[in-house]
Protein backbone atom coordinates (compact mmCIF):
# COMPACT_ATOMS: atom_id res chain seq x y z
CA UNK A 1 0.00 0.00 0.00
CA UNK A 2 2.66 2.50 1.03
CA UNK A 3 4.83 1.51 -1.90
CA UNK A 4 1.91 2.09 -4.21
CA UNK A 5 1.27 5.61 -2.96
CA UNK A 6 4.94 6.60 -2.92
CA UNK A 7 5.41 5.43 -6.50
CA UNK A 8 2.36 7.50 -7.46
CA UNK A 9 3.86 10.55 -5.79
CA UNK A 10 7.21 10.14 -7.53
CA UNK A 11 5.36 9.80 -10.85
CA UNK A 12 3.57 13.10 -10.30
CA UNK A 13 6.73 14.91 -9.23
CA UNK A 14 8.73 13.67 -12.23
CA UNK A 15 5.81 14.75 -14.41
CA UNK A 16 6.03 18.18 -12.83
CA UNK A 17 9.80 18.50 -13.27
CA UNK A 18 9.32 17.50 -16.90
CA UNK A 19 6.81 20.31 -17.41
CA UNK A 20 9.12 22.74 -15.67
CA UNK A 21 12.03 21.71 -17.90
CA UNK A 22 9.92 22.02 -21.06
CA UNK A 23 8.72 25.49 -20.04
CA UNK A 24 12.30 26.44 -19.27
CA UNK A 25 13.44 25.24 -22.71
CA UNK A 26 10.58 27.07 -24.45
CA UNK A 27 11.43 30.28 -22.64
CA UNK A 28 15.03 29.93 -23.84
CA UNK A 29 13.80 29.50 -27.40
CA UNK A 30 11.57 32.55 -27.01
CA UNK A 31 14.48 34.62 -25.75
CA UNK A 32 16.79 33.51 -28.56
CA UNK A 33 14.24 34.18 -31.26
CA UNK A 34 13.56 37.52 -29.64
CA UNK A 35 17.22 38.41 -30.08
CA UNK A 36 17.04 37.20 -33.70
CA UNK A 37 13.98 39.34 -34.36
CA UNK A 38 15.60 42.34 -32.75
CA UNK A 39 18.64 41.97 -35.02
CA UNK A 40 16.25 41.55 -37.94
CA UNK A 41 14.66 44.90 -37.09
CA UNK A 42 11.27 43.76 -35.80
CA UNK A 43 11.45 45.41 -32.40
CA UNK A 44 7.80 45.04 -31.35
CA UNK A 45 7.55 41.29 -31.83
CA UNK A 46 10.98 40.94 -30.27
CA UNK A 47 9.70 42.83 -27.23
CA UNK A 48 6.71 40.53 -26.84
CA UNK A 49 8.84 37.42 -27.10
CA UNK A 50 11.24 38.88 -24.59
CA UNK A 51 8.44 39.51 -22.08
CA UNK A 52 6.91 36.06 -22.59
CA UNK A 53 10.30 34.36 -22.33
CA UNK A 54 11.17 36.17 -19.14
CA UNK A 55 7.80 35.43 -17.50
CA UNK A 56 7.98 31.73 -18.41
CA UNK A 57 11.53 31.49 -17.13
CA UNK A 58 10.68 33.22 -13.87
CA UNK A 59 7.66 30.96 -13.33
CA UNK A 60 9.55 27.73 -13.90
CA UNK A 61 12.44 28.83 -11.71
CA UNK A 62 9.96 29.79 -8.98
CA UNK A 63 8.33 26.34 -9.07
CA UNK A 64 11.74 24.68 -8.97
CA UNK A 65 12.91 26.74 -5.97
CA UNK A 66 9.60 26.08 -4.25
CA UNK A 67 9.94 22.32 -4.51
CA UNK A 68 13.54 22.55 -3.30
CA UNK A 69 12.34 24.52 -0.31
CA UNK A 70 9.77 21.84 0.45
CA UNK A 71 12.53 19.26 0.72
CA UNK A 72 14.52 21.57 2.98
CA UNK A 73 11.40 22.04 5.14
CA UNK A 74 11.36 18.32 5.86
CA UNK A 75 14.08 18.56 8.45
CA UNK A 76 12.61 19.22 11.88
CA UNK A 77 14.92 21.52 13.74
CA UNK A 78 15.25 20.76 17.41
CA UNK A 79 16.57 23.51 19.68
CA UNK A 80 19.10 22.46 22.28
CA UNK A 81 17.78 21.43 25.67
CA UNK A 82 19.76 22.83 28.60
CA UNK A 83 20.12 21.70 32.20
CA UNK A 84 20.61 24.14 35.08
CA UNK A 85 22.67 22.82 37.98
CA UNK A 86 22.68 24.63 41.31
CA UNK A 87 24.36 24.26 44.66
CA UNK A 88 21.81 24.88 47.40
CA UNK A 89 24.47 25.93 49.91
CA UNK A 90 26.72 28.42 48.14
CA UNK A 91 24.47 29.31 45.23
CA UNK A 92 26.94 28.18 42.57
CA UNK A 93 25.03 27.82 39.32
CA UNK A 94 25.94 26.40 35.93
CA UNK A 95 24.10 25.58 32.71
CA UNK A 96 25.14 22.69 30.49
CA UNK A 97 23.64 20.67 27.69
CA UNK A 98 21.06 18.01 28.61
CA UNK A 99 22.40 14.49 29.09
CA UNK A 100 20.35 11.32 29.11
CA UNK A 101 19.37 10.46 32.67
CA UNK A 102 19.03 14.07 33.80
CA UNK A 103 15.84 14.99 35.61
CA UNK A 104 14.68 17.92 37.70
CA UNK A 105 15.67 17.53 41.39
CA UNK A 106 18.26 14.87 40.62
CA UNK A 107 21.25 14.99 42.94
CA UNK A 108 24.62 15.13 41.21
CA UNK A 109 28.28 15.11 42.27
CA UNK A 110 29.33 17.34 45.16
CA UNK A 111 29.96 21.04 44.46
CA UNK A 112 33.53 22.12 43.68
CA UNK A 113 33.54 24.82 46.38
CA UNK A 114 31.75 23.22 49.29
CA UNK A 115 30.98 19.54 49.63
CA UNK A 116 27.20 19.87 49.31
CA UNK A 117 25.59 17.79 46.57
CA UNK A 118 24.60 19.73 43.45
CA UNK A 119 21.01 19.66 42.27
CA UNK A 120 19.38 19.94 38.85
CA UNK A 121 16.88 22.76 39.25
CA UNK A 122 15.61 23.22 35.70
CA UNK A 123 15.61 21.60 32.28
CA UNK A 124 14.40 23.75 29.42
CA UNK A 125 14.83 24.67 25.78
CA UNK A 126 15.21 28.21 24.57
CA UNK A 127 13.16 29.05 21.49
CA UNK A 128 13.99 32.06 19.40
CA UNK A 129 10.58 33.53 18.63
CA UNK A 130 10.35 33.56 14.84
CA UNK A 131 6.88 34.94 14.41
CA UNK A 132 6.48 38.70 14.40
CA UNK A 133 4.48 40.07 17.30
CA UNK A 134 1.10 41.37 16.23
CA UNK A 135 -0.05 44.88 17.05
CA UNK A 136 -2.92 43.69 19.23
CA UNK B 1 -6.47 41.45 -20.59
CA UNK B 2 -5.42 38.15 -22.15
CA UNK B 3 -8.05 38.54 -24.85
CA UNK B 4 -6.92 42.05 -25.72
CA UNK B 5 -3.26 41.20 -26.10
CA UNK B 6 -3.46 39.10 -29.28
CA UNK B 7 -5.46 41.83 -31.02
CA UNK B 8 -2.74 44.32 -30.20
CA UNK B 9 0.00 41.99 -31.35
CA UNK B 10 -1.94 41.42 -34.53
CA UNK B 11 -2.14 45.13 -35.30
CA UNK B 12 1.45 45.91 -34.60
CA UNK B 13 2.77 42.74 -36.17
CA UNK B 14 4.37 44.11 -39.30
CA UNK B 15 7.17 41.89 -40.48
CA UNK B 16 6.76 39.40 -37.61
CA UNK B 17 3.24 38.55 -38.81
CA UNK B 18 3.45 34.80 -38.49
CA UNK B 19 4.82 35.06 -34.95
CA UNK B 20 1.98 37.37 -33.93
CA UNK B 21 -0.51 34.91 -35.31
CA UNK B 22 1.03 32.04 -33.43
CA UNK B 23 0.99 34.11 -30.29
CA UNK B 24 -2.65 35.03 -30.62
CA UNK B 25 -3.64 31.42 -31.22
CA UNK B 26 -1.60 30.47 -28.16
CA UNK B 27 -3.48 33.00 -26.07
CA UNK B 28 -6.83 31.68 -27.24
CA UNK B 29 -5.78 28.11 -26.47
CA UNK B 30 -4.67 29.05 -22.97
CA UNK B 31 -7.90 30.96 -22.43
CA UNK B 32 -10.06 28.01 -23.51
CA UNK B 33 -8.02 25.50 -21.52
CA UNK B 34 -8.44 27.55 -18.38
CA UNK B 35 -12.13 28.03 -19.09
CA UNK B 36 -12.85 24.32 -19.25
CA UNK B 37 -10.13 22.75 -17.15
CA UNK B 38 -9.58 25.47 -14.54
CA UNK B 39 -11.09 23.43 -11.73
CA UNK B 40 -9.14 20.35 -12.69
CA UNK B 41 -5.90 22.34 -12.73
CA UNK B 42 -6.78 23.74 -9.33
CA UNK B 43 -7.34 20.19 -8.12
CA UNK B 44 -3.95 19.04 -9.34
CA UNK B 45 -2.37 21.96 -7.52
CA UNK B 46 -4.17 20.87 -4.34
CA UNK B 47 -3.17 17.23 -4.80
CA UNK B 48 0.41 18.38 -5.14
CA UNK B 49 0.16 20.35 -1.94
CA UNK B 50 -1.29 17.37 -0.08
CA UNK B 51 1.41 15.20 -1.57
CA UNK B 52 4.13 17.44 -0.23
CA UNK B 53 2.64 17.21 3.24
CA UNK B 54 2.21 13.46 2.91
CA UNK B 55 5.90 13.14 2.05
CA UNK B 56 6.74 15.09 5.12
CA UNK B 57 4.37 13.03 7.27
CA UNK B 58 5.95 9.83 5.99
CA UNK B 59 9.38 11.19 6.79
CA UNK B 60 8.28 12.22 10.30
CA UNK B 61 6.62 8.85 10.91
CA UNK B 62 9.62 6.84 9.72
CA UNK B 63 11.93 9.02 11.77
CA UNK B 64 9.73 8.41 14.82
CA UNK B 65 9.84 4.66 14.28
CA UNK B 66 13.60 4.76 13.83
CA UNK B 67 14.14 6.74 17.04
CA UNK B 68 11.81 4.43 18.97
CA UNK B 69 13.63 1.30 17.79
CA UNK B 70 17.03 2.83 18.45
CA UNK B 71 16.04 3.86 21.96
CA UNK B 72 14.66 0.40 22.69
CA UNK B 73 17.91 -1.18 21.48
CA UNK B 74 19.98 1.23 23.52
CA UNK B 75 18.07 1.03 26.82
CA UNK B 76 16.46 -2.40 26.65
CA UNK B 77 19.32 -4.41 25.16
CA UNK B 78 16.97 -6.96 23.57
CA UNK B 79 18.30 -10.33 22.34
CA UNK B 80 16.44 -10.10 19.04
CA UNK B 81 15.63 -7.23 16.69
CA UNK B 82 12.60 -5.41 18.12
CA UNK B 83 11.51 -3.92 14.75
CA UNK B 84 8.76 -6.44 14.03
CA UNK B 85 7.34 -6.08 17.54
CA UNK B 86 7.44 -2.29 17.26
CA UNK B 87 5.55 -2.42 13.95
CA UNK B 88 2.88 -4.56 15.56
CA UNK B 89 2.72 -2.16 18.50
CA UNK B 90 2.23 0.83 16.20
CA UNK B 91 -1.00 -0.66 14.87
CA UNK B 92 -2.41 -1.30 18.32
CA UNK B 93 -5.94 0.04 18.71
CA UNK B 94 -8.40 0.64 21.54
CA UNK B 95 -12.16 0.33 21.20
CA UNK B 96 -14.06 2.76 23.38
CA UNK B 97 -17.07 1.41 25.28
CA UNK B 98 -20.57 1.48 23.84
CA UNK B 99 -22.36 4.68 24.82
CA UNK B 100 -25.95 3.88 23.83
CA UNK B 101 -26.81 3.55 27.51
CA UNK B 102 -24.26 5.93 29.06
CA UNK B 103 -24.87 5.04 32.72
CA UNK B 104 -21.62 3.75 34.24
CA UNK B 105 -19.60 4.37 31.10
CA UNK B 106 -16.84 6.19 33.00
CA UNK B 107 -15.86 3.05 34.87
CA UNK B 108 -16.04 0.95 31.71
CA UNK B 109 -13.73 3.41 29.95
CA UNK B 110 -11.48 3.47 33.00
CA UNK B 111 -11.26 -0.31 32.93
CA UNK B 112 -10.43 -0.42 29.23
CA UNK B 113 -7.75 2.25 29.66
CA UNK B 114 -6.27 0.24 32.54
CA UNK B 115 -6.16 -2.90 30.43
CA UNK B 116 -4.55 -0.97 27.60
CA UNK B 117 -1.94 0.56 29.89
CA UNK B 118 -1.00 -2.79 31.44
CA UNK B 119 -0.90 -4.48 28.05
CA UNK B 120 1.31 -1.83 26.48
CA UNK B 121 3.66 -1.76 29.47
CA UNK B 122 4.04 -5.55 29.35
CA UNK B 123 4.75 -5.32 25.65
CA UNK B 124 7.47 -2.73 26.32
CA UNK B 125 9.00 -4.97 29.00
CA UNK B 126 9.14 -7.82 26.48
CA UNK B 127 10.74 -5.57 23.87
CA UNK B 128 13.24 -4.02 26.27
CA UNK B 129 13.99 -6.52 29.04
CA UNK B 130 16.96 -4.62 30.49
CA UNK B 131 15.11 -1.35 31.13
CA UNK B 132 14.11 -0.19 34.60
CA UNK B 133 10.75 1.21 35.73
CA UNK B 134 11.53 4.78 34.65
CA UNK B 135 12.79 3.67 31.24
CA UNK B 136 9.75 1.45 30.67
CA UNK B 137 7.51 4.46 31.25
CA UNK B 138 9.57 6.63 28.91
CA UNK B 139 9.64 3.95 26.22
CA UNK B 140 5.89 3.49 26.48
CA UNK B 141 5.40 7.23 25.96
CA UNK B 142 7.84 7.19 23.05
CA UNK B 143 5.99 4.34 21.39
CA UNK B 144 2.65 6.02 21.94
CA UNK B 145 3.88 9.14 20.16
CA UNK B 146 5.12 6.94 17.30
CA UNK B 147 1.71 5.27 17.27
CA UNK B 148 -0.04 8.63 16.94
CA UNK B 149 2.26 9.65 14.06
CA UNK B 150 1.64 6.36 12.33
CA UNK B 151 -2.10 6.86 12.63
CA UNK B 152 -2.06 10.44 11.35
CA UNK B 153 0.01 9.36 8.34
CA UNK B 154 -2.35 6.51 7.54
CA UNK B 155 -5.48 8.65 7.75
CA UNK B 156 -4.04 11.42 5.56
CA UNK B 157 -2.81 8.83 3.08
CA UNK B 158 -6.28 7.25 3.03
CA UNK B 159 -8.00 10.48 2.05
CA UNK B 160 -5.25 11.37 -0.42
CA UNK B 161 -5.57 8.06 -2.26
CA UNK B 162 -9.33 8.21 -2.10
CA UNK B 163 -9.26 11.74 -3.52
CA UNK B 164 -6.97 10.70 -6.35
CA UNK B 165 -9.04 7.62 -7.14
CA UNK B 166 -12.35 9.45 -7.26
CA UNK B 167 -10.86 12.73 -8.51
CA UNK B 168 -13.38 14.42 -6.26
CA UNK B 169 -12.52 18.03 -5.62
CA UNK B 170 -14.41 17.95 -2.34
CA UNK B 171 -12.49 15.09 -0.75
CA UNK B 172 -9.19 16.69 -1.71
CA UNK B 173 -10.36 20.15 -0.69
CA UNK B 174 -11.38 18.98 2.80
CA UNK B 175 -8.02 17.30 3.27
CA UNK B 176 -6.14 20.33 1.98
CA UNK B 177 -8.11 22.65 4.27
CA UNK B 178 -7.34 20.85 7.55
CA UNK B 179 -3.79 19.93 6.53
CA UNK B 180 -2.02 22.87 8.25
CA UNK B 181 -3.56 21.87 11.59
CA UNK B 182 -2.78 18.20 11.03
CA UNK B 183 0.83 19.02 10.20
CA UNK B 184 1.15 21.15 13.32
CA UNK B 185 -0.10 18.27 15.42
CA UNK B 186 2.23 15.81 13.71
CA UNK B 187 5.21 18.06 14.31
CA UNK B 188 4.18 18.35 17.97
CA UNK B 189 4.08 14.56 18.28
CA UNK B 190 7.46 14.30 16.55
CA UNK B 191 9.11 16.60 19.06
CA UNK B 192 7.25 14.83 21.89
CA UNK B 193 8.68 11.55 20.70
CA UNK B 194 12.23 12.87 20.92
CA UNK B 195 11.61 14.34 24.36
CA UNK B 196 10.18 11.03 25.60
CA UNK B 197 13.04 9.04 24.13
CA UNK B 198 15.60 11.19 25.99
CA UNK B 199 13.49 11.61 29.14
CA UNK B 200 13.30 15.40 28.88
CA UNK B 201 10.53 17.30 30.71
CA UNK B 202 7.78 18.56 28.39
CA UNK B 203 5.59 21.66 28.60
CA UNK B 204 2.70 19.62 29.97
CA UNK B 205 4.92 18.86 32.97
CA UNK B 206 4.58 22.36 34.42
CA UNK B 207 2.01 21.11 36.98
CA UNK B 208 4.25 18.34 38.33
CA UNK B 209 7.19 20.78 38.24
CA UNK B 210 5.36 23.22 40.54
CA UNK B 211 4.34 20.37 42.84
CA UNK B 212 7.90 19.02 42.86
CA UNK B 213 9.28 22.42 43.77
CA UNK B 214 6.79 22.71 46.66
CA UNK B 215 7.40 19.18 47.98
CA UNK B 216 11.16 18.94 47.42
CA UNK B 217 12.97 18.13 50.64
CA UNK B 218 9.88 16.72 52.37
CA UNK B 219 9.06 13.10 52.87
CA UNK B 220 6.84 11.61 50.17
CA UNK B 221 4.71 8.51 50.14
CA UNK B 222 2.96 6.69 47.31
CA UNK B 223 -0.78 6.83 46.74
CA UNK B 224 -2.75 4.88 44.16
CA UNK B 225 -2.22 4.99 41.31
CA UNK B 226 1.36 6.00 40.40
CA UNK B 227 1.13 9.23 42.44
CA UNK B 228 3.05 10.64 45.40
CA UNK B 229 1.91 12.93 48.22
CA UNK B 230 3.90 15.03 50.69
CA UNK B 231 2.70 16.93 53.73
CA UNK B 232 4.16 20.44 53.56
CA UNK B 233 3.49 23.42 55.84
CA UNK B 234 2.48 26.37 53.65
CA UNK B 235 1.36 29.81 54.89
CA UNK B 236 0.20 28.34 58.22
CA UNK B 237 -1.85 25.62 56.51
CA UNK B 238 -1.01 21.99 55.89
CA UNK B 239 -0.68 21.43 52.18
CA UNK B 240 -0.95 17.91 50.83
CA UNK B 241 1.13 18.32 47.68
CA UNK B 242 0.51 15.66 45.05
CA UNK B 243 1.88 14.74 41.65
CA UNK B 244 2.42 11.72 39.44
CA UNK B 245 5.54 9.78 40.45
CA UNK B 246 8.60 10.83 38.47
CA UNK B 247 10.93 10.99 36.78
CA UNK B 248 9.53 8.41 34.32
CA UNK B 249 6.93 9.46 31.76
CA UNK B 250 3.72 9.10 33.72
CA UNK B 251 0.52 11.03 34.39
CA UNK B 252 -0.73 8.79 37.18
CA UNK B 253 -4.40 8.63 38.07
CA UNK B 254 -5.19 11.92 39.78
CA UNK B 255 -8.84 10.93 40.19
CA UNK B 256 -8.08 7.89 42.32
CA UNK B 257 -5.26 9.66 44.16
CA UNK B 258 -7.31 12.71 45.18
CA UNK B 259 -10.23 10.51 46.19
CA UNK B 260 -7.94 8.36 48.34
CA UNK B 261 -6.38 11.36 50.10
CA UNK B 262 -9.77 12.99 50.74
CA UNK B 263 -11.05 9.75 52.25
CA UNK B 264 -7.92 9.34 54.39
CA UNK B 265 -8.71 12.75 55.87
CA UNK B 266 -12.42 11.88 56.18
CA UNK B 267 -13.35 14.77 53.90
CA UNK B 268 -11.78 17.43 56.16
CA UNK B 269 -10.12 19.28 53.27
CA UNK B 270 -10.66 23.05 52.97
CA UNK B 271 -9.88 23.28 49.26
CA UNK B 272 -8.40 21.45 46.31
CA UNK B 273 -6.13 23.45 44.01
CA UNK B 274 -5.18 21.95 40.67
CA UNK B 275 -2.25 23.20 38.60
CA UNK B 276 -2.12 22.30 34.94
CA UNK B 277 -0.97 23.44 31.53
CA UNK B 278 -3.81 25.14 29.67
CA UNK B 279 -4.22 25.62 25.96
CA UNK B 280 -3.46 29.20 24.98
CA UNK B 281 -5.20 31.11 22.24
CA UNK B 282 -3.12 32.63 19.46
CA UNK B 283 -1.90 36.00 20.66
CA UNK B 284 -1.59 35.02 24.31
CA UNK B 285 1.92 34.75 25.72
CA UNK B 286 3.51 31.38 26.49
CA UNK B 287 3.89 30.98 30.25
CA UNK B 288 1.05 33.34 31.21
CA UNK B 289 -0.62 32.29 34.47
CA UNK B 290 -4.41 32.29 34.81
CA UNK B 291 -6.71 31.30 37.61
CA UNK B 292 -10.22 29.88 37.80
CA UNK B 293 -12.42 27.24 39.35
CA UNK B 294 -13.07 23.62 38.37
CA UNK B 295 -11.05 20.48 37.84
CA UNK B 296 -8.17 21.45 35.56
CA UNK B 297 -7.30 18.15 33.93
CA UNK B 298 -7.29 16.87 30.37
CA UNK B 299 -7.33 13.33 29.06
CA UNK B 300 -10.35 11.15 28.38
CA UNK B 301 -12.37 12.65 31.26
CA UNK B 302 -12.29 9.71 33.65
CA UNK B 303 -10.13 11.50 36.21
CA UNK B 304 -12.09 14.73 35.99
CA UNK B 305 -15.29 12.78 36.65
CA UNK B 306 -13.83 10.99 39.65
CA UNK B 307 -12.45 14.18 41.17
CA UNK B 308 -15.73 16.02 40.75
CA UNK B 309 -17.61 13.08 42.26
CA UNK B 310 -15.36 12.97 45.33
CA UNK B 311 -15.60 16.75 45.80
CA UNK B 312 -19.39 16.81 45.59
CA UNK B 313 -19.64 14.10 48.26
CA UNK B 314 -17.75 16.27 50.75
CA UNK B 315 -18.65 19.75 49.42
CA UNK B 316 -15.05 20.76 48.87
CA UNK B 317 -14.35 23.84 46.70
CA UNK B 318 -11.94 23.38 43.80
CA UNK B 319 -9.68 26.02 42.29
CA UNK B 320 -7.45 25.86 39.23
CA UNK B 321 -4.26 27.64 38.24
CA UNK B 322 -3.11 27.13 34.67
CA UNK B 323 -0.04 28.03 32.64
CA UNK B 324 -0.84 29.01 29.06
CA UNK B 325 0.94 27.20 26.22
CA UNK B 326 -0.03 25.85 22.82
CA UNK B 327 -0.31 22.19 21.88
CA UNK B 328 3.17 22.16 20.36
CA UNK B 329 4.74 23.58 23.53
CA UNK B 330 2.77 21.17 25.69
CA UNK B 331 4.31 18.04 24.20
CA UNK B 332 7.79 19.25 23.23
CA UNK B 333 10.70 19.89 25.63
CA UNK B 334 9.72 22.50 28.18
CA UNK B 335 10.30 26.08 27.05
CA UNK B 336 12.22 28.47 29.26
CA UNK B 337 9.18 30.73 29.61
CA UNK B 338 7.19 27.82 31.05
CA UNK B 339 9.99 26.72 33.35
CA UNK B 340 10.33 30.32 34.58
CA UNK B 341 6.60 30.61 35.27
CA UNK B 342 6.84 28.16 38.18
CA UNK B 343 7.54 30.87 40.76
CA UNK B 344 4.59 32.93 39.50
CA UNK B 345 2.34 29.89 39.85
CA UNK B 346 3.53 29.29 43.42
CA UNK B 347 2.73 32.92 44.29
CA UNK B 348 -0.77 32.50 42.85
CA UNK B 349 -1.33 29.26 44.73
CA UNK B 350 -0.22 30.91 47.97
CA UNK B 351 -2.59 33.83 47.44
CA UNK B 352 -5.48 31.44 46.76
CA UNK B 353 -4.68 29.59 49.99
CA UNK B 354 -4.49 32.85 51.98
CA UNK B 355 -7.73 34.21 50.58
CA UNK B 356 -9.85 31.07 50.47
CA UNK B 357 -8.82 29.05 53.55
CA UNK B 358 -8.23 29.60 57.28
CA UNK B 359 -5.10 28.96 59.30
CA UNK B 360 -4.71 25.31 60.32
CA UNK B 361 -6.79 24.04 57.36
CA UNK B 362 -5.70 21.19 55.13
CA UNK B 363 -5.51 21.81 51.39
CA UNK B 364 -4.74 19.49 48.50
CA UNK B 365 -2.50 20.89 45.78
CA UNK B 366 -2.25 18.64 42.72
CA UNK B 367 0.21 19.28 39.88
CA UNK B 368 -1.47 17.64 36.90
CA UNK B 369 0.45 16.51 33.83
CA UNK B 370 3.14 14.19 32.53
CA UNK B 371 6.01 14.16 35.00
CA UNK B 372 8.64 12.91 32.55
CA UNK B 373 12.07 14.25 33.52
CA UNK B 374 10.79 15.68 36.80
CA UNK B 375 11.62 13.98 40.09
CA UNK B 376 10.33 14.93 43.51
ZN1 LIG C 1 28.49 24.78 46.78
Amino acid sequence: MSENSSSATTKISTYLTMIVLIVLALSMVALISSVNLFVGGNEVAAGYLLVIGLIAMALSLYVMVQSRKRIADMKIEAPKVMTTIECRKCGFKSVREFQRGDFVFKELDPCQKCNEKMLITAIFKEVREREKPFAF
Amino acid sequence: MLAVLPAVTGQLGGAGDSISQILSILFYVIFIVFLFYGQRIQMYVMIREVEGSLYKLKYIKDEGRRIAIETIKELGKPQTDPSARVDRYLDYFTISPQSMDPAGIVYKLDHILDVRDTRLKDEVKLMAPASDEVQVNNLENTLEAAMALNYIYKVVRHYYIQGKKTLSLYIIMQLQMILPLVMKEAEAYASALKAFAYGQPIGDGVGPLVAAKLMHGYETRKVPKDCVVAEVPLEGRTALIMKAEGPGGNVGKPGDAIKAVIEENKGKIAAVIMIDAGLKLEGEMVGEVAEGVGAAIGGPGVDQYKIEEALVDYHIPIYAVIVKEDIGDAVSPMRKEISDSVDKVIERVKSVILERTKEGDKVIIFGVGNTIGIGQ
Side-chain angles (χ1 to χ4, degrees), chain A residues 87-92 110-116 118:
Chain A
C87 170
R88 280 278 155 117
K89 205 166 161 194
C90 68
F92 173 74
C111 168
Q112 297 151 336
K113 292 173 189 167
C114 44
N115 259 335
E116 190 80 2
M118 304 264 279

Side-chain angles (χ1 to χ4, degrees), chain A residues 2 9-10 12 16 37 42 48 52 70 73-74 76 81 98 100 103-105 119 123-127 129, chain B residues 8-9 16 19 48 51 55-56 59 74 157 160 197-198 200-201 216 247 332-336 373 375:
Chain A
S2 90
T9 42
T10 36
I12 278 242
L16 191 95
L37 280 174
N42 189 343
Y48 280 120
I52 288 168
R70 200 158 280 174
D73 271 351
M74 294 270 245
I76 314 155
V81 177
F98 178 89
R100 181 169 262 166
F103 63 85
V104 180
F105 295 121
L119 200 68
I123 296 171
F124 58 85
K125 71 166 183 211
E126 234 163 324
V127 185
E129 202 68 64
Chain B
V8 177
T9 43
I19 285 173
R48 225 181 78 72
E51 229 165 50
Y55 258 130
K56 192 170 175 182
Y59 173 79
E74 200 180 322
R157 186 183 64 183
Y160 163 74
Y198 293 123
Q200 294 162 342
H216 182 68
S332 57
M334 189 180 281
R335 281 176 65 158
K336 193 165 193 307

Side-chain angles (χ1 to χ4, degrees), chain B residues 254-255 258 274 295 297 303-311 318:
Chain B
I258 288 181
M274 298 186 77
I297 183 165
D303 287 296
Q304 190 178 355
Y305 178 90
K306 284 183 180 168
I307 292 167
E308 284 162 358
E309 210 181 31
L311 293 174
I318 180 159

Side-chain angles (χ1 to χ4, degrees), chain B residues 142-180:
Chain B
T142 308
L143 281 165
E144 264 186 76
M147 212 191 257
L149 286 174
N150 193 42
Y151 186 69
I152 292 174
Y153 167 70
K154 279 191 175 181
V155 171
V156 171
R157 186 183 64 183
H158 167 76
Y159 284 110
Y160 163 74
I161 294 176
Q162 200 173 50
K164 269 187 83 169
K165 267 187 185 163
T166 55
L167 276 185
S168 156
L169 181 67
Y170 300 100
I171 291 174
I172 293 163
M173 214 152 96
Q174 284 184 49
L175 184 57
Q176 189 249 4
M177 282 191 298
I178 59 159
L179 213 51

Side-chain angles (χ1 to χ4, degrees), chain B residues 2 69 83 101 103 108 114 131 142 161 165 208 250 263 268:
Chain B
L2 276 180
I69 291 174
S83 306
D101 177 13
K108 288 183 204 164
D114 277 349
S131 51
T142 308
I161 294 176
K165 267 187 185 163
N250 177 21
E263 272 160 13
K268 291 199 177 59

Side-chain angles (χ1 to χ4, degrees), chain B residues 67-140:
Chain B
I67 292 174
I69 291 174
E70 247 171 42
T71 314
I72 287 171
K73 280 184 183 162
E74 200 180 322
L75 299 179
K77 304 193 173 54
Q79 310 278 306
T80 54
D81 186 30
S83 306
R85 252 214 143 82
V86 168
D87 287 334
R88 226 169 60 200
Y89 190 106
L90 293 184
D91 277 329
Y92 204 82
F93 59 86
T94 308
I95 301 167
S96 56
Q98 176 53 252
S99 58
M100 234 188 299
D101 177 13
I105 195 172
V106 173
Y107 291 94
K108 288 183 204 164
L109 180 60
D110 192 26
H111 172 66
I112 286 181
L113 292 176
D114 277 349
V115 173
R116 176 180 195 269
D117 192 51
T118 321
R119 175 72 207 273
L120 293 185
K121 274 214 178 93
D122 288 347
E123 196 85 7
V124 172
K125 279 176 200 154
L126 281 177
M127 275 190 256
S131 51
D132 60 30
E133 191 81 16
V134 169
Q135 287 167 342
V136 166
N137 280 335
N138 291 357
L139 283 176
E140 193 203 348

